[in-house]
Amino acid sequence: MTAAARRALADAVHRPYWLDRPERPDPLPPLAGADSADLAVVGGGYSGLWTALLAKQADPGRDVVLLEAGTCGWAASGRNGGFCAASLTHGTANGAALFPDEIGTLERLGRANLDAIEATVDRYGIDCDFRRTGELTVAVEPYQLAGIADDAALAARLGQPGLLLDRDALRAEVDSPTYLGGFWDTDGVAMLDPARLAWGLRRVCLDLGVRIHEHTRVTGLHRDRAALSLRTPHGRVRADRVALATNAFPPLLRRLRHYLVPVYDYALMTEPLTPAQLAAVGWHNRQGISDAANQFHYYRRTADDRILFGGYDAVYHAGSRMTPALERRTSTFVRLADHFRATFPQLDGLRFSHTWGGVIDTCTRFCAFHGTAYGGRLAYAAGFTGLGVGATRFGAQVMLDLLAGADTEATRLALVRDRPVPFPPEPLRSAVINLTRRSMARADANEGRRDLWLRTLDRLGLGFDS
């Protein structure tokens, strides 16, 4: 099938589809000279934009400045699949394993967070094709059915709506010969246009009075008497409080480098489907879909009736290396195209219009961690591990609570108080990650049976994921 995959990719442009739009806003001027603020936010992805927006909503008189090295939403926030999940813990099962005493609270707060995102989209008229259609987790191998049944049972115990579907019921929703059964989380995931969400949040921040400087990389951070000073190539900002929202990018706070690794994820976008092609697939309810393998795929239908298909390869480069060249990985694009054809053989001949890659901030527990530095004047949230479209808003509110020294339900959570196990230093870091990836691939090829290495990581609550 590889020859067919290469033909399907022949005319694809290497650009994130979501960012390849005429409505992409013009960049804002970079910082020039000295400035000051009550709150400085470093990073203009979802995490930083939500922090600035929530800060202004809570106190319209607060002086907030946001500094972004590129343009708002250009990185992970504009390159993801558009799955906006209620889960704060990279899935309910992961949350129950890590925080068994808090999982009910975490799920309730996560649902409230997703409700608040939907309310913000409605209140400010953010045109991001927000649809709360849910997500299908599908079994494509017989051994995966038991795990999906366990997930459905856990959701039922927590009072979450959902449907356990057999093969025929699942294929009535979305028709793929690879499907054996699945679980439909009917309310816990919204599908959206990720770049338009980022651009909409940027517009709302500006309307609320946030000062945004794009193409303004923060290169240094130090104490400045009772404040903090941020250095940029052409200026500086003195701020009473700082929210660090740089996620996968090298953090200004060196201690965070022990807890984060940048992992490259890749995706394809098809050309628009014809009415006949859509009829062959179904997918009338527009759910997001992911399979239940360790090396999993995620895919969704877009507003203009394309299919985004991504995942499977999660690639770490030694030394936490990050360069634009690593966003191109022909072998992965061909592999994804082959897997797409296996998933939807009835769409043979459909071509791809876009290919792209991007970086995910991954930590060992798969979900965000939070903390403070500089005597509580700086707060951070990082390690969302590919599930930050929704969870970044919760992380933003946690950062603001921590900066205020507030005792809230969120700040009392073990999710907020505890940190993940750090990654080992190089070269052991690369060896451990690559060993884990090989073990995961073997498990997928061996009916899910996990080797001694993966079982050890499971006992320690550790892993590697996207």
Side-chain angles (χ1 to χ4, degrees):
M1 294 177 65
T2 300
R6 291 185 181 277
R7 287 194 297 272
L9 291 163
D11 297 325
V13 297
H14 184 71
R15 284 193 297 274
Y17 167 76
W18 308 113
L19 300 175
D20 191 19
R21 303 279 185 74
E23 67 267 31
R24 184 175 182 171
D26 293 332
L28 294 163
L31 177 69
D35 200 355
S36 63
D38 298 326
L39 171 67
V41 180
V42 183
Y46 293 142
S47 189
L49 290 166
W50 278 117
T51 303
L53 189 155
L54 292 171
K56 290 296 283 187
Q57 282 185 329
D59 181 0
R62 193 174 192 179
D63 184 19
V64 179
V65 63
L66 186 151
L67 308 174
E68 163 55 43
T71 57
C72 291
W74 76 273
S77 298
R79 299 169 186 241
N80 62 81
F83 289 61
C84 187
S87 176
L88 305 175
T89 58
H90 207 278
T92 307
N94 188 53
L98 292 172
F99 310 107
D101 296 334
E102 293 182 349
I103 187 60
T105 300
L106 288 167
E107 289 297 303
R108 172 175 55 80
L109 292 174
R111 298 277 168 158
N113 183 65
L114 183 57
D115 291 343
I117 293 172
E118 184 172 12
T120 300
V121 168
D122 290 342
R123 175 181 177 182
Y124 294 108
I126 297 175
D127 181 14
C128 64
D129 193 40
F130 187 102
R131 306 186 196 207
R132 201 151 170 175
T133 55
E135 180 179 4
L136 289 166
T137 303
V138 299
V140 295
E141 296 288 347
Y143 76 85
Q144 295 168 2
L145 289 168
I148 286 177
D150 290 344
D151 290 345
L154 177 59
R157 288 199 299 274
L158 294 170
Q160 298 172 353
L163 298 171
L164 188 62
L165 305 176
D166 64 17
R167 175 184 178 277
D168 291 341
L170 178 57
R171 292 189 65 175
E173 287 293 330
V174 184
D175 192 11
S176 169
T178 66
Y179 293 171
L180 304 177
F183 176 68
W184 182 5
D185 176 356
T186 54
D187 186 62
V189 177
M191 304 307 299
L192 53 77
D193 182 318
R196 285 179 174 161
L197 174 61
W199 297 337
L201 293 174
R202 174 186 184 268
R203 186 254 303 165
V204 173
C205 284
L206 291 170
D207 290 346
L208 293 176
V210 176
R211 291 176 290 119
I212 298 177
H213 295 285
E214 295 180 319
H215 296 296
T216 301
R217 182 180 302 277
V218 178
T219 57
L221 166 69
H222 65 270
R223 293 182 186 273
D224 187 352
R225 298 187 297 278
L228 295 176
S229 183
L230 300 168
R231 185 173 64 254
T232 75
H234 304 290
R236 62 182 178 85
V237 174
R238 186 175 188 270
D240 183 56
R241 296 288 187 272
V242 171
L244 191 59
T246 51
N247 296 328
F249 292 90
L252 294 169
L253 199 61
R254 292 186 62 86
R255 73 180 72 161
L256 299 184
R257 300 184 185 193
H258 303 298
Y259 298 98
L260 295 169
V261 296
V263 173
Y264 277 84
D265 180 58
Y266 300 91
L268 312 176
M269 186 70 83
T270 72
E271 62 190 3
L273 276 65
T274 66
Q277 289 169 327
L278 286 170
V281 175
W283 216 340
H284 304 295
N285 288 311
R286 295 179 176 269
Q287 308 96 324
I289 303 176
S290 61
D291 63 57
N294 290 303
Q295 292 181 288
F296 65 93
H297 307 86
Y298 58 87
Y299 40 113
R300 51 84 53 93
R301 181 178 168 185
T302 67
D304 57 351
D305 293 329
R306 301 169 185 261
I307 297 175
L308 179 150
F309 195 83
Y312 194 78
D313 284 343
V315 183
Y316 171 74
H317 296 276
S320 296
R321 189 160 57 98
M322 295 170 57
T323 71
L326 298 177
E327 297 169 9
R328 292 178 179 265
R329 200 166 193 261
T330 301
S331 62
T332 293
F333 297 142
V334 171
R335 185 175 297 113
L336 285 173
D338 272 338
H339 293 177
F340 179 89
R341 301 294 163 183
T343 303
F344 296 121
Q346 67 269 48
L347 299 181
D348 184 43
L350 184 66
R351 298 173 74 85
F352 297 98
S353 63
H354 293 74
T355 67
W356 70 93
V359 178
I360 291 169
D361 60 329
T362 297
C363 71
T364 56
R365 71 182 192 188
F366 306 159
C367 58
F369 61 96
H370 317 75
T372 62
Y374 291 96
R377 292 191 175 276
L378 180 146
Y380 56 83
F384 292 94
T385 317
L387 212 67
V389 180
T392 46
R393 184 194 175 277
F394 180 83
Q397 186 60 62
V398 168
M399 283 194 283
L400 292 172
D401 290 346
L402 292 173
L403 289 172
D407 178 22
T408 67
E409 184 177 32
T411 60
R412 290 191 294 271
L413 292 168
L415 172 75
V416 172
R417 292 184 288 104
D418 298 345
R419 290 183 182 174
V421 174
F423 288 98
E426 294 286 12
L428 186 58
R429 174 178 294 193
S430 293
V432 166
I433 289 174
N434 289 328
L435 173 60
T436 304
R437 290 189 66 218
R438 288 193 297 269
S439 292
M440 290 166 62
R442 281 197 298 269
D444 284 339
N446 196 28
E447 297 184 341
R449 287 190 284 271
R450 299 172 77 79
D451 61 17
L452 178 61
W453 177 247
L454 291 182
R455 294 197 303 272
T456 300
L457 293 181
D458 291 341
R459 286 194 294 272
L460 296 173
L462 307 178
F464 175 76
D465 203 353
S466 63

